Structure formats: C-alpha cells, structure tokens
C-alpha cells in the first residue's frame, strides 16, 4: 500500500512506507540548522506525547482524523500538503524529541 503522496510524486524510492501506508522516512537532503531542528523538535513534541512513540506519532500525523494535533505540529495542518523536505524535517524532529534532544 502506498500513500497518496508517493503516488502523486511518482518516485517510490523517495519514501519508506509501512504496509499500513505510514511514511516512516523521506529520502531528501534537508540539512537543517540547529535552530530549525530545535524548532521542529519542539513542534512535534505534542504529537509524540499524544501518541507515545515515533511510529505512533507518524501514524497520527498522517491520519486526517487528528487535525487538531496536525494544526499544532505542521504549518498547514496536513501531512500530504507538506513538501518532502518538510516531511523529512518532521520525522527528524520526532526522532530528536524521542531521544530527548529538545
């Protein structure tokens, strides 16, 4: 099962997607500054706390039923409308938050 954005982007190697359709990695260079990574980390802490794990947060962030959390953690409130770079930064921020780096 591929997520909608994988089909739209037409590059299946760009994303790692679970069998459930959850994007777990986006293979694009992002090179965030320490400040950008810290901001991303802070932005996604709410989702990490709400869902309890990186995998849970990724599933929740990509589920349109959780728009109230998405509005807090993503600039426009929709995972599918984020650029691959923005998605990669969210994922990196989640891992940083899970590791206590923010």
């Amino acid at each position: 099962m591929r997520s909608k954005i994988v089909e739209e982007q037409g590059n299946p190697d760009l994303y790692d997607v679970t069998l459930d359709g959850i994007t777990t990695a986006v293979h694009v260079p992002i090179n965030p500054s320490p400040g950008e990574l810290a901001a991303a980390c802070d932005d996604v802490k709410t989702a990490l706390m709400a869902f309890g794990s990186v995998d849970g947060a990724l599933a929740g962030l990509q589920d349109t039923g959780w728009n109230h959390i998405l509005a807090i953690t993503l600039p426009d409130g929709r995972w599918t409308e984020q650029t691959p770079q923005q998605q990669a930064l969210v994922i990196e921020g989640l891992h940083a938050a899970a590791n206590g780096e923010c």
Side-chain angles (χ1 to χ4, degrees), residues 21-89:
I22 305 301
T23 300
T24 57
V26 184
H27 302 288
V28 294
I30 54 172
N31 303 316
S33 70
E36 290 170 326
L37 184 55
C41 191
D42 286 339
D43 289 346
V44 296
K45 273 186 180 179
T46 302
L48 185 62
M49 291 185 327
F51 295 104
S53 69
V54 171
D55 289 343
L58 287 171
L61 289 170
Q62 294 172 50
D63 180 348
T64 57
W66 285 92
N67 285 333
H68 64 287
I69 291 177
L70 290 172
I72 294 169
T73 60
L74 299 176
D76 66 11
R78 292 192 174 270
W79 177 263
T80 58
E81 293 175 3
Q82 301 295 303
T83 66
Q85 290 79 12
Q86 289 170 315
Q87 292 173 339
L89 185 58

